[in-house]
Amino acid sequence: MLNTPLKLPCGATLPNRIAKAAMTEGLATPDGRPTPELERLYGIWSDGGSGMLLTGNVIVDKDHLERPGNVIIDREPDADMAARLKSWAKAGTRGGNHLWAQISHGGRQTQKLVNAAPKSSSDVTLALPGGQFAKPSPLSTDEIAVLVRRWAIAAKALQDAGFTGVQVHGAHGYLISQFLSPRVNLRTDEYGGSLENRARFLREIVTATRAAVGPAFPISVKLNSADFQKGGFDFEDSLKVVKWLEEHGVDLIEISGGTYEQPKLMGVEGMEAEEVQNVAPSTAAREAYFVDFAQAMQAHVNVPLMVTGGFRSRVAMEQALDSGAADVIGLGRPMCLITDAPRQLIGGRESLPRYEDTLDVIPGWLSFLKRFQTIKAINGFAGIYWFYEQLWLLGHQGGTDEKVAAFTAFRMVDARTKDIQKQRE
């Protein structure tokens, strides 16, 4: 079942049902151009047997990065940028797989070191300690129109370079997700209020992107099943948006969940209690975070669904596919160390290690500190940075280092990030 091809509504075919999920790489030049390190990383992954590779955030506004080191396409590419994109695409498709670029905008989740005056749907500040994120100001309707065009420009540039599809990032609290959330979107114009209005930005982006790339080029959307926050985007909202996206001709929808404030997918505890969603448990293995939501959606829509988050055993992946809960299985963290995990799973490997269970920056004798939410968050994010360090090593050296300590990785990645930002200034 994992090795079964999937024909998408646009006519393109994925060679198998395993996708490398999007993970931020931080390997671009300070001004956002692809590098030989990105090529090396995606070449390694392309050799690993995935049916499709999803890139990390490709940003449509240089002032709203997810992190320094993102690839940026916020205008028609010059000759150098076009050549770099083409080289990246060539490396990332050399194994006969698809390579889709995830197109995104940080919105209010842009760190203050990148932009002290970010834009969002409204002026609602990110509720996180540490002062890393500034209060945003609302985008004007003219600025929204510019961003819609930028998504289309980026998609066309990527298509021309040899990428075989794109994904519009509408999840995890980034800008589109900020528009979708009634907790963050307090607008009173045509982009706020009702769900139809809050989803207008996303629908305009999909429409403009389709017009730019034509009918035969895959367009995906990454969408939260829920934000898991009180008063936020919930499952009922998500199901309605999925139905609209199906009507707009989207080829694949990736089901995910959470935001920086409630980082469900990252395995990090949020700063508030998780809002329970009205979704019945499925019979799928409990290791996969969002299978229940996808299975509930499949009863109402026909668009193919990709589920990412938590999959480690082949039996759980096959169960999700066989039950109809998912059409594509997304793998993230395991691909940071077992770059040919798809080929191994298709070949019969039973399971993949859960590396994050061993990443603990709080020593045992200080374990009592873990009852504090801030300490829990620091511990969790240090673990995330450990995976960032593995991607850096793959891109620069072609290999990984499982022995590097989580806190060491945290300090190294943080220092590099700040250095890239200094070079941008």
Side-chain angles (χ1 to χ4, degrees):
M1 187 67 177
L2 290 174
N3 205 29
T4 303
L6 175 65
K7 188 172 183 178
L8 301 173
C10 68
T13 299
L14 302 183
N16 64 54
R17 301 301 181 96
I18 302 179
K20 193 286 291 181
M23 293 180 287
T24 177
E25 310 98 355
L27 293 175
T29 64
D31 62 345
R33 295 170 185 263
T35 60
E37 289 75 26
L38 266 177
E39 294 175 29
R40 181 178 294 114
L41 176 62
Y42 278 84
I44 291 170
W45 275 330
S46 184
D47 295 338
S50 291
M52 183 259 286
L53 305 177
L54 266 169
T55 75
N57 293 280
V58 173
I59 300 294
V60 297
D61 184 339
K62 64 181 178 61
D63 295 323
H64 288 85
L65 306 181
E66 171 265 334
R67 64 186 283 214
N70 289 148
V71 172
I72 303 167
I73 307 177
D74 58 0
R75 65 198 68 196
E76 298 282 354
D78 59 26
D80 175 71
M81 182 65 170
R84 287 170 180 258
L85 288 171
K86 187 174 182 179
S87 293
W88 184 17
K90 183 178 180 180
T93 55
R94 72 188 187 193
N97 55 282
H98 275 252
L99 174 64
W100 296 4
Q102 184 185 79
I103 310 176
S104 185
H105 183 294
R108 70 173 189 155
Q109 289 186 172
T110 302
Q111 294 181 58
K112 193 181 290 184
L113 85 162
V114 173
N115 187 352
K119 295 293 184 77
S120 180
S121 56
S122 302
D123 61 353
V124 180
T125 306
L126 200 64
L128 286 177
Q132 295 185 57
F133 300 92
K135 183 175 182 177
S137 58
L139 286 158
S140 70
T141 54
D142 287 343
E143 288 172 326
I144 291 171
V146 168
L147 289 177
V148 169
R149 289 195 296 273
R150 285 188 182 179
W151 251 276
I153 288 169
K156 187 63 169 68
L158 291 157
Q159 181 186 38
D160 290 345
F163 285 75
T164 63
V166 293
Q167 183 183 79
V168 176
H169 197 343
H172 297 174
Y174 295 110
L175 183 63
I176 294 173
S177 183
Q178 292 160 32
F179 271 83
L180 290 171
S181 170
R183 176 177 169 136
V184 181
N185 184 347
L186 306 181
R187 301 176 74 97
T188 58
D189 61 7
E190 65 267 36
Y191 292 96
S194 68
L195 178 60
E196 184 174 11
N197 280 354
R198 286 183 278 120
R200 189 183 304 277
F201 182 41
L202 170 58
R203 294 165 77 179
E204 289 179 349
I205 287 170
V206 170
T207 298
T209 301
R210 177 59 76 198
V213 300
F217 190 73
I219 297 177
S220 170
V221 171
K222 187 169 191 170
L223 188 71
N224 275 359
S225 55
D227 293 346
F228 301 101
Q229 293 180 279
K230 187 175 180 60
F233 185 74
D234 61 20
F235 178 70
E236 285 74 19
D237 290 340
S238 184
L239 179 56
K240 290 177 183 177
V241 173
V242 168
K243 289 179 179 178
W244 291 335
L245 292 173
E246 183 175 30
E247 293 170 2
H248 277 65
V250 168
D251 296 291
L252 182 73
I253 296 176
E254 182 181 2
I255 303 301
S256 194
T259 68
Y260 278 18
E261 294 171 327
Q262 190 61 271
K264 178 79 170 174
L265 180 64
M266 299 178 187
V268 179
E269 291 198 38
M271 301 303 292
E272 61 181 85
E274 182 180 311
E275 187 76 354
V276 177
Q277 302 298 308
N278 183 27
V279 178
S282 70
T283 57
R286 305 308 309 157
E287 68 179 78
Y289 306 155
F290 305 111
V291 164
D292 294 346
F293 296 94
Q295 185 152 323
M297 284 181 176
Q298 290 284 26
H300 301 278
V301 297
N302 294 313
V303 61
L305 299 181
M306 172 176 165
V307 181
T308 300
F311 282 108
R312 294 296 182 273
S313 69
R314 181 162 56 88
V315 66
M317 299 175 199
E318 291 178 341
Q319 189 176 21
L321 294 169
D322 290 342
S323 68
D327 300 285
V328 177
I329 302 297
L331 293 179
R333 290 173 174 176
M335 297 285 288
C336 294
L337 291 106
I338 306 175
T339 57
D340 65 342
R343 178 169 288 113
Q344 292 191 33
L345 288 164
I346 290 170
R349 179 168 179 159
E350 292 296 329
S351 64
L352 302 171
R354 196 173 291 276
Y355 294 102
E356 55 269 39
D357 290 345
T358 66
L359 301 176
D360 199 343
V361 301
I362 306 300
W365 64 278
L366 289 176
S367 60
F368 69 91
L369 292 173
K370 294 180 186 178
R371 68 175 181 264
F372 298 106
Q373 290 283 16
T374 300
I375 298 298
K376 286 181 182 178
I378 292 172
N379 198 50
F381 279 103
I384 292 168
Y385 276 40
W386 185 85
F387 289 99
Y388 291 176
E389 178 65 12
Q390 304 305 326
L391 296 186
W392 189 91
L393 289 169
L394 280 171
H396 284 80
Q397 302 175 15
T400 60
D401 181 6
E402 295 183 32
K403 295 181 180 179
V404 64
F407 190 67
T408 300
F410 180 87
R411 290 189 293 109
M412 293 172 72
V413 173
D414 185 61
R416 286 193 209 105
T417 300
K418 290 175 180 176
D419 182 60
I420 293 170
Q421 180 57 31
K422 285 181 180 178
Q423 295 180 56
R424 295 182 70 241
E425 294 170 353

